[in-house]
């Protein structure tokens, strides 16, 4: 097997606001620190004027090529041109179905790219973070119309067939492997766990003096909505003596611009409510470390949760909706959390109160999540990718 590979990674990367930018940040950095990586070619999206990509000095060389744009019809051409110029040993796509656009044609053309890369003669690997078969279109806020839902399902099936033309498709949940192999009759799907971004030293699991912070982190407005969490904390305040603060950390979903500003205006009279806006990578540890509990106010799920892995790595208790992939992930990877019924403020209030009033229980959840996180560090996940790269190159 060839070592010291030149790896091209097609992915958003901070300060880009595109979905999966944070995962891209850690994926690229861990590839750079891996001994089997000679160079990383980051094929990223173009940034607004005045913003630049910045990188740590540690790790192998990195060649940054910001060549594609969200909803651009010609992203496939820009990416292919860059790959032909840089000549990597392998190409890894860090994507989901709307990575290249939220309009049908640019999204579809973008998802065609891994197959075109394969046709060019470069090993093509796709890390696919969600699959259409496991997305609830209604609760995810995509459509409630059954006719439109059927159309979306049909389009999703066609797009999935395009993605599966790559040499290898990696998914982060075991159930996804079963669904894709059974429906599409393929044998090029592999389970590669999500992995934990960072491995901080074991925390004390103690909290600082003062109000306990109930925090949520992500991109909000579609299937992640914060109103239910704000209302749940207000309910807890009415019946508990534990002082609480609410922290909404993150930004709007690209499909719901203005959502958080509207929520902030709607709940302007709620005390102790903070909207952080975009959180730069260097401040992410602070946001998690200062929190007592991390809440997932989701109405649906679309894949594995990076925020859950982050919460675990910082040793935090979590409160999760009793739905879909999160329940599957907890069983597979050993996380623990208090569950609530999605979009139900009373149920969420009961879960929050149970954790914040019982410090021993909060610590129990925190400790279990920390050890679940450290058992699957992203450094190990990158080793898995290199093993797959080697098999593909040997088979070529």
């Amino acid at each position: 097997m060839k070592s010291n590979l030149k790896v091209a990674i097609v992915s958003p990367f901070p300060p880009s606001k595109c979905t999966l930018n944070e995962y891209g940040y850690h994926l690229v950095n861990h590839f750079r620190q891996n001994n089997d990586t000679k160079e990383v070619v980051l094929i990223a999206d173009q940034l607004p004027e005045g913003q630049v990509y910045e990188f740590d000095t540690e790790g192998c060389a990195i060649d940054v090529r910001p060549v594609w744009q969200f909803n651009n019809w010609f992203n496939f051409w820009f990416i292919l041109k860059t790959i032909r110029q840089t000549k990597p040993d392998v190409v890894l796509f860090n994507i989901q179905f709307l990575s290249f656009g939220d309009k049908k044609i640019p999204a579809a053309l973008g998802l065609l790219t891994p197959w075109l890369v394969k046709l060019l003669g470069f090993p093509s690997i796709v890390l696919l973070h969600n699959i259409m078969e496991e997305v609830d279109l209604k609760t995810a806020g995509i459509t409630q119309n059954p006719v439109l839902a059927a159309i979306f399902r049909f389009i999703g099936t066609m797009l999935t067939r395009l993605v599966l033309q790559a040499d290898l498709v990696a998914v982060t949940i075991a159930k996804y492997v079963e669904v894709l192999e059974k429906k599409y009759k393929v044998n090029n799907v592999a389970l590669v766990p999500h992995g934990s971004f960072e491995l901080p030293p074991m925390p004390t699991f103690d909290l600082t003096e003062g109000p306990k912070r109930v925090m949520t982190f992500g991109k909000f407005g579609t299937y992640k909505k914060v109103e239910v969490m704000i209302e749940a904390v207000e309910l807890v305040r009415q019946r508990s003596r534990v002082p609480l603060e609410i922290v909404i950390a993150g930004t709007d979903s690209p499909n719901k611009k203005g959502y958080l500003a509207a929520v902030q205006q709607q709940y302007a009279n709620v005390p102790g409510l903070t909207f952080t806006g975009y959180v730069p990578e260097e401040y992410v540890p602070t946001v998690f470390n200062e929190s007592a509990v991390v809440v997932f106010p989701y109405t649906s799920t679309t894949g594995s949760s990076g925020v859950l892995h982050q919460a675990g790595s910082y040793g935090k208790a979590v409160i999760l909706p009793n739905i879909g992939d999160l329940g599957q992930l907890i069983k597979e990877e050993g996380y623990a959390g208090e569950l609530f019924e999605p979009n139900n403020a009373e149920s969420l209030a009961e879960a929050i109160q149970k954790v914040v009033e019982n410090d021993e229980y909060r610590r129990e959840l925190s400790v279990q999540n920390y050890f679940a996180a450290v058992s699957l560090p992203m450094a190990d996940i990158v080793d898995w990718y290199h093993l797959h790269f080697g098999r593909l190159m040997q088979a070529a």
Side-chain angles (χ1 to χ4, degrees), residues 58 97 207 305 330 374:
E58 295 182 9
F97 280 95
L207 301 178
S305 171
I330 287 175
V374 299

Side-chain angles (χ1 to χ4, degrees), residues 62-311:
I62 184 163
D63 180 4
V64 187
R65 302 292 181 107
V67 300
W68 56 273
Q69 293 177 306
F70 195 72
N71 274 332
N72 190 307
W73 285 33
F74 298 99
N75 284 332
F76 73 96
W77 173 253
F78 300 137
I79 294 170
L80 291 175
K81 182 179 177 182
T82 303
I83 289 170
R84 293 184 71 174
Q85 289 173 345
T86 56
K87 294 180 170 54
D89 293 304
V90 293
V91 183
L92 173 62
F93 289 81
N94 172 45
I95 60 174
Q96 44 99 346
F97 280 95
L98 300 181
S99 286
F100 296 108
D102 56 7
K103 298 176 181 176
K104 297 181 184 65
I105 294 177
L109 291 173
L111 293 175
L112 186 65
T113 313
W115 182 28
L116 297 177
V117 167
K118 176 183 174 181
L119 294 178
L120 275 181
F122 296 91
S124 174
I125 300 92
V126 176
L127 167 56
L128 188 62
H129 286 262
N130 56 18
I131 62 174
M132 287 297 294
E133 288 75 10
E134 293 298 308
V135 175
D136 186 324
L137 297 177
K138 182 177 179 180
T139 58
I142 297 174
T143 183
Q144 297 189 20
N145 185 309
V147 175
L148 286 178
I151 294 171
F152 274 113
R153 292 290 182 198
F154 175 77
I155 294 172
T157 296
M158 296 301 102
L159 294 178
T160 302
R161 292 191 190 281
L162 289 179
V163 173
L164 288 169
Q165 296 303 310
D167 289 296
L168 180 73
V169 175
V171 292
T172 57
I173 296 177
K175 182 181 179 182
Y176 290 4
V177 179
E178 298 173 11
V179 170
L180 293 176
E181 288 182 341
K182 182 177 180 180
K183 179 175 179 178
Y184 298 95
K185 312 300 181 186
V186 293
N187 58 5
N188 64 331
V189 181
L191 173 65
V192 180
H194 183 286
S196 298
F197 295 153
E198 302 288 353
L199 292 182
M202 185 185 294
T204 64
F205 305 106
D206 295 327
L207 301 178
T208 57
E209 295 294 326
K212 292 182 176 179
R213 293 185 176 179
V214 180
M215 189 269 284
T216 188
F217 189 99
K219 292 182 173 67
F220 302 99
T222 52
Y223 64 93
K224 302 177 183 180
K225 297 193 174 181
V226 299
E227 294 95 333
V228 66
M229 177 175 137
I230 297 170
E231 293 169 7
V233 172
E234 287 285 80
L235 288 173
V236 177
R237 284 170 168 169
Q238 294 173 14
R239 55 204 190 199
S240 175
R241 295 183 178 181
V242 177
L244 299 176
E245 292 181 352
I246 309 167
V247 178
I248 313 294
T251 60
D252 296 326
S253 166
N255 302 325
K256 290 290 182 180
K257 294 186 188 271
Y259 166 74
L260 287 178
V263 173
Q264 191 168 5
Q265 183 176 4
Q266 179 183 352
Y267 294 95
N269 294 327
V270 174
L273 173 59
T274 300
F275 292 80
T276 69
Y278 173 71
V279 182
E281 283 299 324
E282 60 268 27
Y283 296 119
V284 169
T286 300
V287 170
F288 277 92
N289 287 329
E290 291 181 348
S291 301
V293 62
V294 181
V295 175
F296 295 72
Y298 301 175
T299 58
S300 179
T301 60
T302 60
S304 185
S305 171
V307 179
L308 176 59
H309 291 82
Q310 284 180 294

